[in-house]
Amino acid sequence: MTSEHSVDLSKLQALQSKLRQGHLSGKTKPEAQRYTLLSRLEALVIDNQNEICAAITADLGRPAEDSIIAELSVVIEEIHTAKANLKKWMKPRHKWMPLVLFPSKGYIAPVPFGVCLIIGPWNYPIQLLLAPLVSALAAGNCALLKPSELTPRCAQLLAQLLPRYLPDDVVQVVEGGAELSQKLLELRWDFIFFTGSTAVGKIVARAAAQYLTPTVLELGGKSPCIVDSTANLEVTARRILWGKALNAGQTCVAPDYILTPRDNVQPLLAALKKVLAEFFPEGFKSSESFCSIVNERHFARLSVLLNEHQKELALGGRAQPSSNLIEPSFFLFDSSSAATAAIMQEEIFGPLLPIIALDARDQAIEFINAREHPLALYIFSADNNFIENVESQTTSGSFVANDTVIQLATSQLPFGGVGESGQGSYHGMSGFNAFSQWRSVLKRPFWLDLPVRYRPLRPWKMWILRKLLKFSEPAKVSSPPS
Ligand code: NAD
């Protein structure tokens, strides 16, 4: 492992060679070894949970409870699922072979890609590196992890802890920023797993294209949240605010904007105001109950939006530069004014939430379809027909009715985006599949070698072949059909 911030290409090549040796030795492939590696990773998280939470708090100003719920428990759930299902996932899947291939047996088998690069973002600095690592190890790979430079304590802690628990020819960590990331992307990897912004995702995809390296891109974007007039507003407000307040809205699947019929705006706002007071009885004076904005740059970016939309501000709006705190703030827009509003141009990634008034609820579908496919689409409604209409007429990475963000609480549902919000998915079995190549295998004995397919292809051979291939002769048409 290295903790140097400027690493030259030859040092990175040396780390990669070490991982390649580990991979070629075959040590990560047997089921028992994968199980052991996953158990060691589990021990790393459990033994060091306090240090990890403290590093996250130091980097992000996030309460430790939130890190347990939204970060460490996700990794542990991934490990438990992988350990419980490893045998099943690794099993070759046998396929029926057609008569034309008799005698033979055919199956598909998961093969580890080899040496993987995993690049992480800052917003969940531990989970978004270790959860992909669980998938990588479960699938029998070796991996190099590149944490975000914006969460240096977490990066440093991972660089210290991983070599204590996992062999250095199986997992490596390098610390650094965009420059290091670009150097890593110059190398040839067997697989690249990237989590971060859409803009950098495109850079990664371009670099991967050089060697046609397979990738999973876990990106961001604006996730809409429809609130229908039939929704129970008290529960709706609680669940929206829970998802938005987590990590101060710095969550890739946080609701980014609300779409609701005009006559529902004030009742929804009243419900949000009530829940806000319940959730934060002490207000926003410290980061004990609410996460800070990650750094001055992101605080300034959100402050610009806050200032620019003072006219539309309906609730909240206070900011504390000394501790980078911004309270959850709600803005009111019309669907026409929203289109050009600064807050609607990019992913907000903070505790600001525009509420967009619609003339009719079905307008929500049009609004969403006029934009990039979101990572998540939320709908609050008691009308199942409306929920099904929205589900069938839109595209998104995930679709959740009557809640937000909790789709990540299970490893049973693949997590990933579509279009600008990402490519591929992981968590549970989909993570195992993402880090595996499903190889087609066909095995034949020598004991039967019918001459029928061999040249010269006489008419009698073609007759048999046609039967075997179920490919009929052209019909003899005497006159055109009337
Ligand atoms: P980012 O794209 O700026 O950085 C992600 C990683 O890429 C970091 O490790 C960084 O060092 C590296 N990087 C930055 N610039 C680079 C460049 N020019 N070339 C190569 N590598 C570069 O993203 P971020 O600010 O860390 O994270 C926020 C974004 O990530 C948001 O858009 C959010 O929605 C998205 N995100 C997505 C998911 C998901 O699972 N889909 C999860 C968390 C965050």
Side-chain angles (χ1 to χ4, degrees):
M1 316 260 163
T2 176
S3 61
E4 288 169 43
H5 283 250
S6 64
V7 184
D8 64 37
L9 202 55
S10 59
K11 282 190 183 159
L12 296 178
Q13 278 163 335
L15 295 181
Q16 194 192 44
S17 302
K18 185 147 197 106
L19 294 172
R20 191 156 303 286
Q21 281 163 22
H23 171 63
L24 292 176
S25 74
K27 67 195 282 186
T28 56
K29 288 187 188 170
E31 186 201 331
Q33 183 62 11
R34 298 185 198 196
Y35 196 92
T36 304
L37 293 169
L38 291 170
S39 298
R40 291 202 193 147
L41 189 56
E42 183 177 1
L44 181 156
V45 175
I46 298 297
D47 296 352
N48 301 284
Q49 52 186 288
N50 294 335
E51 290 83 346
I52 295 174
C53 288
I56 297 172
T57 303
D59 278 334
L60 292 178
R62 184 204 289 159
E65 295 80 0
D66 285 359
S67 296
I68 299 280
I69 295 167
E71 197 131 20
L72 301 191
S73 68
V74 176
V75 179
I76 293 298
E77 151 84 358
E78 283 296 306
I79 293 173
H80 287 171
T81 307
K83 282 166 67 176
N85 292 285
L86 208 46
K87 200 181 195 75
K88 191 171 79 193
W89 292 346
M90 287 176 68
K91 244 191 192 149
R93 317 253 162 98
H94 285 268
K95 304 285 173 187
W96 282 110
M97 292 297 104
L99 194 57
V100 71
L101 295 183
F102 181 81
S104 70
K105 75 173 179 181
Y107 58 87
I108 55 170
V111 179
F113 277 116
V115 181
C116 307
L117 172 64
I118 300 176
I119 302 178
W122 54 264
N123 62 332
Y124 291 91
I126 301 294
Q127 187 226 126
L128 294 173
L129 281 170
L130 296 191
L133 180 62
V134 172
S135 301
L137 295 176
N141 296 278
C142 298
L144 185 139
L145 273 50
K146 208 298 278 172
S148 169
E149 68 281 18
L150 300 191
T151 42
R153 276 88 157 194
C154 290
Q156 207 172 30
L157 187 62
L158 283 179
Q160 282 164 10
L161 292 178
L162 278 160
R164 286 188 5 219
Y165 286 82
L166 295 167
D168 66 356
D169 56 353
V170 175
V171 178
Q172 286 279 347
V173 182
V174 286
E175 293 173 72
E179 202 191 330
L180 169 70
S181 206
Q182 282 166 357
K183 277 188 185 160
L184 287 167
L185 290 170
E186 284 174 31
L187 302 180
R188 184 173 188 158
W189 301 91
D190 298 318
F191 184 78
I192 301 175
F193 189 100
F194 171 80
T195 307
S197 60
T198 300
V200 178
K202 290 178 183 176
I203 294 173
V204 172
R206 271 195 290 273
Q210 192 189 346
Y211 298 113
L212 293 177
T213 304
T215 56
V216 163
L217 304 173
E218 293 281 337
L219 312 178
K222 293 179 86 62
S223 295
C225 178
I226 302 170
V227 181
D228 177 24
S229 312
T230 62
N232 173 330
L233 288 186
E234 199 183 323
V235 178
T236 299
R238 222 179 281 138
R239 292 180 182 176
I240 290 178
L241 201 58
W242 178 80
K244 188 68 176 179
L246 190 68
N247 217 28
Q250 303 167 111
T251 302
C252 55
V253 286
D256 189 272
Y257 60 92
I258 293 175
L259 296 166
T260 195
R262 199 174 302 285
D263 58 5
N264 206 35
V265 170
Q266 288 308 326
L268 175 63
L269 205 56
L272 287 165
K273 191 173 182 176
K274 185 164 168 272
V275 174
L276 208 53
E278 280 168 20
F279 277 13
F280 304 102
E282 316 291 330
F284 296 89
K285 294 190 194 74
S286 75
S287 62
E288 272 160 36
S289 61
F290 197 64
C291 185
S292 305
I293 302 307
V294 61
N295 58 22
E296 282 75 25
R297 182 167 63 84
H298 280 282
F299 183 82
R301 176 183 64 80
L302 292 164
S303 300
V304 167
L305 293 178
L306 207 52
N307 291 336
E308 193 143 328
H309 292 302
Q310 282 299 309
K311 214 162 56 120
E312 290 88 7
L313 184 67
L315 186 59
R318 281 171 302 174
Q320 224 179 65
S322 57
S323 47
N324 281 355
L325 274 178
I326 297 179
E327 70 177 325
S329 306
F330 299 84
F331 305 82
L332 298 186
F333 290 92
D334 213 71
S335 57
S336 53
S337 64
T340 53
I343 203 165
M344 286 301 291
Q345 303 315 306
E346 278 181 12
E347 180 182 9
I348 297 170
F349 223 54
L352 316 181
L353 192 50
I355 300 175
I356 300 168
L358 305 176
D359 296 327
R361 67 178 188 179
D362 286 332
Q363 226 187 316
I365 298 173
E366 212 178 295
F367 193 95
I368 292 164
N369 286 340
R371 287 160 177 78
E372 295 297 339
H373 297 324
L375 188 57
L377 199 168
Y378 303 110
I379 177 166
F380 287 85
S381 175
D383 178 349
N384 285 334
N385 286 336
F386 182 52
I387 294 175
E388 271 164 35
N389 274 351
V390 176
E391 184 183 352
S392 65
Q393 291 178 50
T394 55
T395 302
S396 60
S398 54
F399 180 91
V400 180
N402 300 328
D403 216 324
T404 67
V405 182
I406 47 134
Q407 69 270 32
L408 302 192
T410 169
S411 51
Q412 296 301 314
L413 293 175
F415 175 49
V418 52
E420 291 249 324
S421 60
Q423 272 174 23
S425 61
Y426 74 125
H427 283 188
M429 193 172 79
S430 71
F432 176 87
N433 287 340
F435 279 88
S436 305
Q437 181 237 338
W438 280 90
R439 175 153 65 170
S440 293
V441 180
L442 180 74
K443 290 182 177 166
R444 307 203 68 194
F446 288 115
W447 61 265
L448 185 67
D449 194 31
L450 296 173
V452 63
R453 71 179 161 135
Y454 296 125
R455 291 175 186 284
L457 289 172
R458 306 281 182 226
W460 69 268
K461 290 187 179 179
M462 280 312 293
W463 186 87
I464 296 172
L465 278 176
R466 277 184 179 278
K467 293 279 170 221
L468 288 173
L469 295 169
K470 300 188 186 111
F471 188 75
S472 51
E473 297 270 7
K476 288 196 178 72
V477 182
S478 47
S479 56
S482 52

